[in-house]
Amino acid sequence: MNGPDTVNPALVVSQQLDHPVDLMMTDTAAIRDRNGALGGGDGNEDLRELPVVPMPRGESPEVQEHYFPPLEKPTIDALPMASLRTGLCYDTRMGEHYSLLEDDDHPEDPQRIEAIHSTLHRAGLVADEHGMFPDRRDVLHRIVARFAKVSEVKLVHTTEHFQFMRETRDFNRETLLQISREGDSVYFNQNSYVCGRLAAGGAIECCKAVILGDVKNAIAVIRPPGHHATPSEAQGFCIFNNVSIAAKTCQLRYASQCRKVLIFDWDVHHGNGTQDTFYEDPNTLYISVHVHMDGKFYPNKPTANHEHCGEGKGIGKNVNIPWTNNGMGDADYMYAFQKVVMPIAAEFDPDLVIISAGFDAAEGDSIGGCYVTPACYAHMTHALMGLARGKVVVCLEGGYNLDSISECALAVTKTLLGEPPDRLKGHPPSQLAIHDVNMVMKRQARYWSCLSDFRQGPDITGGEGTPLNDVIRMYRRQTLEQELGMINLAVLREGLAQPFKDQIMATPNFSDCKVLLFILHDPPELRGAPNPANNVLADNESWVMDTVKSYIRSASKMGFGVVDVNVPKHLEGLEKVPADDEDAPNIKAVKDLVLYMWDNYLEPYDAQQIFLMGVGHAYHGMIHLLNSRNCRSRVSGVINFVYDLSLLGLRRELDPEYINWYYKNSQIYVEEEHPIFNIDGKPIRRRNGKVLPSTEKSLVGTVEHYQREVFVWITRRAPIDDHTLNG
């Protein structure tokens, strides 16, 4: 008889079998495999042993049942699903995948899953603090991880990729470090291969248990993550694509029960590997909401934008919701969820929902830079549980702040168990989120009837029309010329001349003034309510709100020079403007323009003190200028008005003294309900500037309300006679 510290030989056997053996147990009991192995006869490949811990044993059946509780089936016939338990897959051996570099503070660390399990334990959902053994006191039913079969992995990955990963078991330290350096944001050690297969197998077993009705839903606390792993390559911290392998395996094994699968990916990074896997698959709907930044955010691919919707039979089954910037919060995610995710998902009507649950968009995660709360993740989970008769599997992807991922995973798990989500704060979505989501709806409307209202705009037939932005542009130029004697500045650079024609105005003294105010702003707001019957705006009830003109007038009376740049939402003459993206501000063009203006109209002339002022989306250009040019010797202050937008800052790698200078010489007005003020106990980074909360409820109101305060602040840095302030 084995003693309490004896390793049963069955453990060694269980590690060598590609069969769903309970690797947590020291006896030979196996979880049943109702369909057997997939074809190929490749299930008994030798696997490198991972550390195992013997389980306490006892003589009596009661002791054995305590550690090996049987799966309890529903006892209430009227509630067949509600009576089921929620499953949990967790295996400490997945921690054997780690970086070989000494003192490497790599974000994809084994502590990620340990922290989540510890939080579940403290919440009373699992009894064993260390997650070694299942226990009859567990609220969650333990689903045992297994190694994914070779044939299962190859449903997604090429033979070459699989062979490469298998060979890593025999590489020495130097070789492993070398291929880690050469890889795309991924590291390897001799256990990476088996840990990758264990994570994929855990995802499969969770999906299988949900499909077969052993549990009502499940969460897989697994690593390494998977959604960046393409069919041919490990990348982005990912070895094998766990969710893709699980989805394809279940579609093959349980075709009658799991034909259509929804994969919803809320990781802050786009799941490029998952998209590649299912891009032509009509039976798998992949929806991803992620930060894109025009391809400047990992995985840095244009295929993450909203225009990539699938190909062939899979057209329309790929839905990307790309954020133009980070800094997005609960209201933004819920807006995308309610407008795009749930309508399309409901129309698709899946048999199984798999959530690629990266928690790196959570508040507190410095890599993601967003502000999603545990309550928001819980609300999204709760809504998805209304699909597929509640058959939902949550699989961990990214998330690198241990506190954040633990709190978010707990909130999601409690929701799976049936606990109502906490309330969300009633903030409206940002204008940036509304814009980004509208672009997605316009693009996807051609594939989904639930979005049919977005297939056509207002009726403009029946006469000759002029775009309103052209009318406002000419009106602005004429009024600034007539009232303030301003002149039009030409842009003599190909690609910028046409988009910014008649948009750049300057006071005649801009080239020889001592103090210059450079304003970069969104176009004036048009306010009015169209007649719902004919979509016509009444001219006597519509207004052009141009609050920036008041700043120009005041600065001119003080003797300041002014250069004013109006940035329309639609820029004419650009080489490529997507057909369904006509309302988007072209951030790249604005960034190019602001550098052109600095190099040709600001820096070469006589102004000893230059003040920068950004309003609305256009303020992105001011941040780009500060990141691209060392303006410290010429710029005396920066004023930005940010409303319903993510808050940008200077680059981290800039000189700390430059960042401190920006903080001391900036006024960044942000609505008081902005997510940046809701990070519990955490100071706002100095590279964001001196951030001031505004009590106003609109951008126009904020700009108007703080005008006198702004000019008092400016005159403290550029002293003038007091009487000029009253002009």
Side-chain angles (χ1 to χ4, degrees), residues 109 230 644:
D109 183 88
T230 67
D644 274 350

Side-chain angles (χ1 to χ4, degrees), residues 633-684:
S633 62
R634 299 294 301 279
V635 173
S636 298
V638 180
I639 307 102
N640 285 324
F641 293 94
V642 183
Y643 194 89
D644 274 350
L645 295 171
S646 57
L647 191 61
L648 302 181
L650 300 188
R651 297 198 311 269
R652 293 183 179 89
E653 61 269 22
L654 291 176
D655 183 353
E657 291 187 5
Y658 186 59
I659 293 175
N660 285 334
W661 165 84
Y662 174 59
Y663 175 79
K664 294 177 181 178
N665 294 279
S666 61
Q667 298 277 97
I668 315 299
Y669 293 94
V670 179
E671 75 271 22
E672 63 181 355
E673 294 181 346
H674 193 281
I676 198 165
F677 297 117
N678 296 326
I679 305 177
D680 296 337
K682 296 181 180 178
I684 299 172

Side-chain angles (χ1 to χ4, degrees), residues 153-154 156-166 168 178-188 192 196 224-242 244-245 270-277 298-299 301 397:
V153 176
K154 288 186 178 181
V156 172
H157 296 286
T158 63
T159 298
E160 291 76 14
H161 174 52
F162 182 85
Q163 183 63 27
F164 168 78
M165 286 308 309
R166 182 161 54 185
T168 61
Q178 178 64 26
I179 62 174
S180 297
R181 287 190 293 267
E182 295 172 352
D184 182 358
S185 300
V186 64
Y187 62 76
F188 304 94
S192 298
H227 71 152
H228 292 308
T230 67
S232 60
E233 183 182 3
Q235 57 180 246
F237 307 166
C238 302
I239 303 299
F240 297 125
N241 198 312
N242 308 318
S244 295
I245 293 170
H270 179 245
N272 56 298
T274 308
Q275 174 171 299
D276 291 352
T277 301
Y298 193 86
K301 298 180 184 294
E397 296 285 359

